[in-house]
Amino acid sequence: MPSAFNAELFQNQLNTTWLGSEFLYKERVDSTNTCLKKVPSPELVHGTVLIADHQTKGRGQYEKKWNSEPGENLTFSIALRPPAPERLTLLTLSCANAITMVLEELVNREVRIKWPNDIYIEGKKIGGLLTECCFNGKNLDRVLIGIGLNIGQTYFEGDLLHKATSVAGLTGKQYSREEILCNLLTAIESFYMKWHKFDDELQKEISRKMIGYGEWVSLQINKILQPEKYKFLGVNRQGELIVLDEQLDINTFSYEQIRIITHRKGVSETESE
C-alpha cells in the first residue's frame, strides 16, 4: 500500500553538504516546480528541495503531463541559484547523469539518458527532468529542476502500458523512497559541483550515457525528420548537442526541440518518441 513520504526519516538519513538542507514536504500540489516559483526570492535558499506525494498537474518536456501514482514514486524539485544563466542544459544533463548512477545500483541494469532530459532503462522510460529558469529583470533568480522517477508503481495505463517502467517493476522489490532520495541528492550535489567547477570530464561522462552516442542517427527537428544521417558525438561543455554530418562537418544544436532517432536493431520505438 502507498504510504506518505516520511520527511523526518529522510532528514535523519540525508548526508549532503548543502543540497536538501532546506527541505519542504507537501502532501499534494499542482506542480513542485510551480510551488517553488512562489517562494519569495529573499527567502529561497540555494539547494532547497520540495517533494510532494501527489502532483495534480505534473509536467514533462513539451508540456506533456507527467502522471504518477500518489505515494508510490518520487516527484520533487530542486531550487538552485547558480551565478549566471549559462551552461544550464549541461546542468540538467549533470543531474540526469547522477540519477542514472543511483538507478544502476538499484536495478543492476544499464540506465541511459535520452536527449535532452529523459531517463530510460531497456527502452522504457523510468523518469524525466524539467528545468525552468526564473529571472528578476535580466538577472537569473533561480533554476528549478523538477524530477519525476517511477519507484514503486508497477502498473501503467493507456499509452504508458508498454512505454514506462519502474524500479519495483524491474526488480520485483519494494524500496524506501526516503533512502533513494537521499542517495539521489548526494549524487546530484556531487555532479553539481563538477558542473560548477567546469570539470573537463563531465561532458564526456554524460555523452557516454546518452542514447545514440557514437552512432549514425537521424534527427527530428521541430517534428520534421531530416533527410541525412548524423553521427552523434555527444554534448560539449555548454551542453549543446554535437553531431557529424555526412560531409564530415560538425554541427551543434543548443535548443531542445530535437529528437535523436537511433537505428539499432531491437531498440524500442519509445526511444525515438
Side-chain angles (χ1 to χ4, degrees):
M1 291 290 292
S3 58
F5 188 87
N6 189 326
E8 183 178 0
L9 176 63
F10 161 76
Q11 289 175 306
N12 288 337
Q13 293 180 342
L14 185 63
N15 195 32
T16 57
T17 302
W18 51 268
L19 185 57
S21 58
E22 183 72 20
F23 178 74
L24 303 170
Y25 166 74
K26 303 286 185 181
E27 181 179 349
R28 179 187 175 101
V29 297
D30 51 359
S31 157
T32 53
N33 267 18
T34 300
C35 195
L36 279 181
K37 286 179 184 178
K38 298 175 182 177
V39 178
S41 185
E43 300 175 15
L44 185 69
V45 177
H46 174 67
T48 295
V49 173
L50 185 150
I51 187 169
D53 270 322
H54 186 196
Q55 280 193 127
T56 59
K57 296 180 181 178
R59 292 170 294 133
Q61 191 65 25
Y62 312 118
E63 293 300 320
K64 290 183 178 179
K65 290 183 179 180
W66 176 265
N67 296 308
S68 179
E69 286 298 315
E72 292 192 350
N73 304 314
L74 285 173
T75 49
F76 64 100
S77 290
I78 297 169
L80 300 170
R81 310 194 83 169
E86 300 169 353
R87 302 182 301 124
L88 297 183
T89 301
L90 189 66
L91 175 57
T92 302
L93 290 168
S94 298
C95 293
N97 196 53
I99 292 168
T100 68
M101 292 181 57
V102 174
L103 291 181
E104 284 183 341
E105 288 291 324
L106 289 172
V107 304
N108 196 30
R109 290 168 170 85
E110 186 178 49
V111 185
R112 307 292 297 278
I113 302 169
K114 190 185 83 165
W115 170 269
N117 51 13
D118 286 333
I119 310 296
Y120 273 72
I121 299 179
E122 297 178 344
K124 293 186 176 182
K125 185 173 177 177
I126 195 169
L129 301 86
L130 177 67
T131 298
E132 297 181 280
C133 300
C134 301
F135 288 83
N136 184 1
K138 295 182 179 180
N139 298 319
L140 179 65
D141 182 66
R142 69 195 71 180
V143 176
L144 305 176
I145 301 179
I147 299 171
L149 290 174
N150 298 329
I151 305 297
Q153 184 174 346
T154 56
Y155 178 72
F156 299 90
E157 296 180 340
D159 291 342
L160 295 178
L161 183 60
H162 302 293
K163 294 182 179 181
T165 189
S166 69
V167 174
L170 288 165
T171 65
K173 302 175 183 178
Q174 293 298 317
Y175 295 84
S176 162
R177 291 187 297 147
E178 295 81 6
E179 181 178 351
I180 291 176
L181 183 57
C182 286
N183 293 338
L184 287 169
L185 296 184
T186 298
I188 290 171
E189 181 181 79
S190 175
F191 274 91
Y192 177 87
M193 296 311 298
K194 288 183 178 182
W195 174 85
H196 182 70
K197 294 177 180 179
F198 292 81
D199 189 316
D200 287 333
E201 296 300 313
L202 180 58
Q203 69 270 18
K204 298 176 185 178
E205 186 173 345
I206 291 169
S207 295
R208 289 191 291 266
K209 280 287 186 180
M210 300 192 74
I211 292 173
Y213 171 67
E215 301 176 24
W216 286 93
V217 302
S218 295
L219 295 184
Q220 191 180 74
I221 303 176
N222 293 321
K223 299 184 178 180
I224 299 175
L225 184 64
Q226 304 304 297
E228 64 178 313
K229 299 291 188 297
Y230 299 84
K231 189 169 186 179
F232 181 28
L233 303 180
V235 297
N236 61 19
R237 293 187 66 176
Q238 302 301 316
E240 297 170 324
L241 195 78
I242 313 172
V243 296
L244 184 73
D245 65 23
E246 292 173 342
Q247 290 74 45
L248 303 183
D249 293 323
I250 300 291
N251 295 263
T252 61
F253 298 93
S254 59
Y255 50 94
E256 297 178 345
Q257 298 292 346
I258 296 177
R259 297 193 180 189
I260 298 171
I261 302 174
T262 61
H263 301 284
R264 284 174 288 153
K265 185 177 180 181
V267 173
S268 168
E269 289 186 4
T270 56
E271 291 191 359
S272 63
E273 292 181 355

